[in-house]
Amino acid sequence: MGRMNHENVVISADGTTAYYGEDGGSHCVYKFIADTPNNFYSGTLYVLDLDLDLANDEPCSPTGVWKVVPNSTPAECNAVATNAQALGGTNFNGVEDCEIGPDGMIYFTAKGRNRVYRFTDSGAGVTNFETFVGGMTYPIETAGGIIMEEWRDGNDNLAFDDKGNLWVVQDGGRNYIWVVRPNHRQSDPQVLIHSS
């Protein structure tokens, strides 16, 4: 699946596809399609290249392409991060975790960019790429009223519960555990703080 600074990996339910990122090195998002389901010893490695670079950590385009990263010979295996960068793989500055949401979209943390992004994998490329949560201040309801709380950095781990809520654990920043409701939009925030 490529020699790199792997972080958490998520595998599709049918056992054919893995999504993961590199924390350090290329800072890219990768996809690996296994030659045989549930056997990740051989397959094809791809890196995500957005059609337009991020600006101020925000997507400038909702689309991108998957580019094949050479990963067959020992020399290629040892140069995955370098080759991914040379192919134009997008640098997300600290990809810590990838998860497949109940909606089928791929979610991933970009720790250094203070955001959780998501996209739809369309096969040869991606669509609907956007910031799902982070990078702004959110209204949080407390016993004492509404307070405005900055998301800050440190997004580290993601998990969906059986209600479709996204739990985001921060390692850094405020070290909060956030809960993001399924109907959350950046324009209509539905964000809670579970613990700090």
Side-chain angles (χ1 to χ4, degrees):
M1 293 170 61
R3 293 179 184 163
M4 64 181 80
N5 298 312
H6 291 280
E7 283 285 347
N8 288 347
V9 177
V10 64
I11 297 174
S12 61
D14 63 4
T16 62
T17 308
Y19 299 94
Y20 48 99
E22 186 176 22
D23 182 18
S26 68
H27 294 280
C28 291
V29 169
Y30 294 87
K31 174 172 78 168
F32 185 86
I33 299 180
D35 291 335
T36 304
N38 299 308
N39 181 337
F40 288 85
Y41 286 103
S42 65
T44 306
L45 179 65
Y46 300 86
V47 66
L48 178 57
D49 179 14
L50 294 181
D51 290 341
L52 296 173
D53 286 335
L54 302 170
N56 297 317
D57 300 325
E58 286 296 321
C60 295
S61 169
T63 56
V65 295
W66 293 109
K67 293 185 174 177
V68 176
V69 181
N71 188 38
S72 299
T73 68
E76 290 172 343
C77 292
N78 288 331
V80 162
T82 302
N83 290 336
Q85 289 172 316
L87 287 166
T90 301
N91 182 323
F92 292 104
N93 193 3
V95 183
E96 297 279 344
D97 195 2
C98 294
E99 289 293 334
I100 300 173
D103 55 5
M105 297 182 76
I106 312 304
Y107 293 71
F108 70 93
T109 59
K111 191 170 186 177
R113 295 192 185 271
N114 187 16
R115 285 160 176 76
V116 175
Y117 298 109
R118 70 177 179 177
F119 61 85
T120 302
D121 185 354
S122 60
V126 305
T127 58
N128 304 313
F129 190 97
E130 65 179 353
T131 297
F132 178 63
V133 68
M136 60 181 277
T137 298
Y138 294 101
I140 303 295
E141 187 174 346
T142 72
I146 300 291
I147 62 168
M148 300 304 292
E149 190 68 22
E150 187 181 2
W151 183 268
R152 294 203 184 178
D153 62 354
N155 311 309
D156 201 277
N157 292 104
L158 303 176
F160 285 94
D161 64 21
D162 60 353
K163 303 290 191 295
N165 298 303
L166 177 63
W167 293 67
V168 184
V169 178
Q170 290 182 313
D171 175 14
R174 297 264 174 96
N175 290 305
Y176 285 169
I177 299 175
W178 298 84
V179 180
V180 187
R181 297 293 196 207
N183 59 340
H184 166 80
R185 298 292 178 269
Q186 290 287 69
S187 58
D188 182 20
Q190 304 292 323
V191 176
L192 308 171
I193 296 174
H194 179 270
S195 13
S196 63

